[in-house]
Amino acid sequence: INPSSDKKFLEIDNSINKRENYSNILSNSQQENCFIKTAILNINSRGVFGNKIGDDGCVSLVEKLAVQPNHSLTSLNLCWNNLGVGAGNAIGIMLSTTNATLRTLNLETNPMHDAACKSMGLLMSMRSSPLVLETFMLTWAEITEDGATGLEQVFSKCGGLRYIDLSYNNIGNSGMASIVCGISTHSINTIQHLNFNSLQLTPGGISAVAELARKSSSLKYLNLSNNAIGDVGCCELVEALLTNK
């Protein structure tokens, strides 16, 4: 951390793979009175296998942020870190109990499964006011329609979503209906970018997406690649776009 910079950048590379080492780095920064007043906290992958901080490392991160009263974290990148249910619970607590400045959350390529999403959703449902989260990425996370119900709760408590990427999950038709319901609660006229690539959608799953496309005044990008929507789904989507006012 560079305490003389207005935008401080904390990067923990792939040599930090244990909770103990990770916690010590944050503790040292506290001892130096270098609060995380940053634009970006990047714990991104620098190698094929990522950092692998795991659930314990994620819990430690959330605990440290909770006692940093002056942090103004806006972007948290935890992709490729072997996060699971424990991480989902920790992140849910962080999102549900704070009015933080967090705008971007990247959880891509972690085996979080349905349980982590449901945990995040349950905790987020306790928020009394929407969280102003703009970007949410959760690709390759092994999520099915069951986990999508948790994401519905997460999205319904976000007040200005602009960018969502859920590609390469097994969300399916009913899961997509849940996702769209959550987005529509507060973000129907702020959402701009939706990546629904490879979600195992069929024509039956396009109705919810088409309804969102029909009503949204902000949507600019919609990716439905590698889904079996067929001619019927395509026609329904085009009709919705043509009737968008």
Side-chain angles (χ1 to χ4, degrees):
I1 300 178
N2 177 5
S4 63
S5 172
D6 290 335
K7 288 187 176 180
K8 301 181 180 64
F9 182 89
L10 174 60
E11 180 175 288
I12 301 176
D13 66 21
N14 61 339
S15 65
I16 308 302
N17 292 321
K18 294 183 179 180
R19 176 176 178 173
E20 293 79 8
N21 292 339
Y22 178 64
S23 299
N24 287 339
I25 283 185
L26 288 177
S27 297
N28 290 339
S29 69
Q30 286 179 297
Q31 292 168 8
E32 296 166 5
N33 199 29
C34 295
F35 294 112
I36 305 174
K37 296 178 179 178
T38 182
I40 300 175
L41 173 59
N42 188 5
I43 309 177
N44 199 357
S45 169
R46 285 179 170 267
V48 176
F49 302 106
N51 294 290
K52 299 183 181 178
I53 67 170
D55 287 352
D56 285 348
C58 184
V59 170
S60 179
L61 166 64
V62 171
E63 288 174 349
K64 295 301 180 181
L65 288 175
V67 297
Q68 289 271 14
N70 295 327
H71 84 76
S72 55
L73 188 68
T74 59
S75 181
L76 179 58
N77 187 343
L78 291 168
C79 70
W80 282 96
N81 269 295
N82 198 31
L83 305 183
V85 178
N89 189 63
I91 292 167
I93 292 173
M94 179 182 70
L95 297 179
S96 65
T97 60
T98 181
N99 293 318
T101 55
L102 189 66
R103 296 293 179 268
T104 298
L105 180 59
N106 186 349
L107 301 172
E108 292 181 315
T109 322
N110 286 294
M112 302 194 77
H113 301 283
D114 294 338
C117 295
K118 293 176 75 172
S119 179
M120 283 193 290
L122 178 62
L123 290 161
M124 276 289 282
S125 68
M126 300 177 186
R127 281 193 65 92
S128 58
S129 60
L131 176 70
V132 188
L133 185 69
E134 296 177 353
T135 299
F136 184 92
M137 292 175 279
L138 187 59
T139 65
W140 294 98
E142 303 177 33
I143 302 167
T144 72
E145 59 188 29
D146 197 27
T149 61
L151 293 179
E152 176 185 356
Q153 292 177 298
V154 172
F155 295 154
S156 69
K157 288 295 184 176
C158 293
L161 287 165
R162 297 178 183 274
Y163 183 110
I164 295 175
D165 189 350
L166 298 175
S167 53
Y168 299 101
N169 284 294
N170 301 322
I171 287 175
N173 293 344
S174 61
M176 179 51 61
S178 298
I179 295 296
V180 169
C181 182
I183 295 170
S184 300
T185 303
H186 293 296
S187 302
I188 187 70
N189 291 319
T190 62
I191 195 67
Q192 298 178 4
H193 181 115
L194 291 171
N195 190 347
F196 294 152
N197 179 18
S198 302
L199 297 186
Q200 297 195 3
L201 302 179
T202 69
I206 292 302
S207 296
V209 180
E211 188 64 18
L212 184 151
R214 179 180 292 109
K215 293 180 178 179
S216 176
S217 62
S218 56
L219 188 62
K220 297 179 180 180
Y221 176 94
L222 175 61
N223 184 357
L224 291 166
S225 302
N226 300 307
N227 289 290
I229 67 173
D231 291 348
V232 173
C234 183
C235 289
E236 184 174 2
L237 184 61
V238 169
E239 181 182 355
L241 291 171
L242 290 174
T243 58
N244 180 287
K245 303 299 181 181

